[in-house]
Amino acid sequence: MLEGCKTAQERWGGVHDIIDRLLAERRALVEACQPLKNKKQVTPKDTPAIQSMCELLMDYVSAGHFTLYEQLALEAQDFGDDSALQMLKSLLPEIESSTQLAIEFNDKFDNTDHCDQQLADFPISIQALSLVMAERFQFEDKLIKELHEAHSENAH
């Protein structure tokens, strides 16, 4: 998953500040998630790291919904790119399902009481979250790639 982040960063980094920020947030999320995901069992000592990861997760999900997707839609509208708008509309429900899982994950582990009570569920929950987020990253990369490449070519 981290290697994919490097590739996306190299490919689209610098194109738009918003994309750069999203990719940096993605990388931070993956780096925070990885050590927790690799643990077979978490303990109350891991609660601060889990809560920190939850904050990164919510920041990342919010940045997509409230910044990136809106920006991509505006860009497609500016270029009169109906096919890009259609692709965005078709992928957003897929992305929305990952947002819902991220919110549910956050609700389970966002504070000390919730987290400590549900530590036994954490390994399964983070595995499920990781799979869904990896799929989301692919959808987002597709949106960025298709919109950026089409609009870069049109700008010349």
Side-chain angles (χ1 to χ4, degrees), residues 3 10 12 25 28 41 52 54 60 66 81 84 86 92 97 103 105 110 112 121 125-126 131-132 145 150 152 154:
E3 189 56 40
E10 291 166 3
W12 299 301
E25 287 181 15
Q41 183 178 17
S52 177
C54 284
Y60 182 82
F66 299 115
D81 190 346
Q86 188 58 41
L92 282 179
S97 67
I103 291 168
F105 180 92
D110 68 337
T112 304
D121 293 341
S125 295
I126 197 161
L131 291 172
V132 168
K145 177 183 181 289
S152 293
N154 288 337

Side-chain angles (χ1 to χ4, degrees), residues 36-39 105 122-132:
L36 293 167
K37 186 176 135 186
N38 290 337
K39 288 187 164 220
F105 180 92
F122 185 80
I124 291 170
S125 295
I126 197 161
Q127 290 297 332
L129 178 70
S130 296
L131 291 172
V132 168

Side-chain angles (χ1 to χ4, degrees), residues 40-56:
K40 292 195 186 328
Q41 183 178 17
V42 290
T43 67
K45 291 189 319 191
D46 297 307
T47 297
I50 293 169
Q51 291 171 321
S52 177
M53 191 205 74
C54 284
E55 288 177 28
L56 291 168

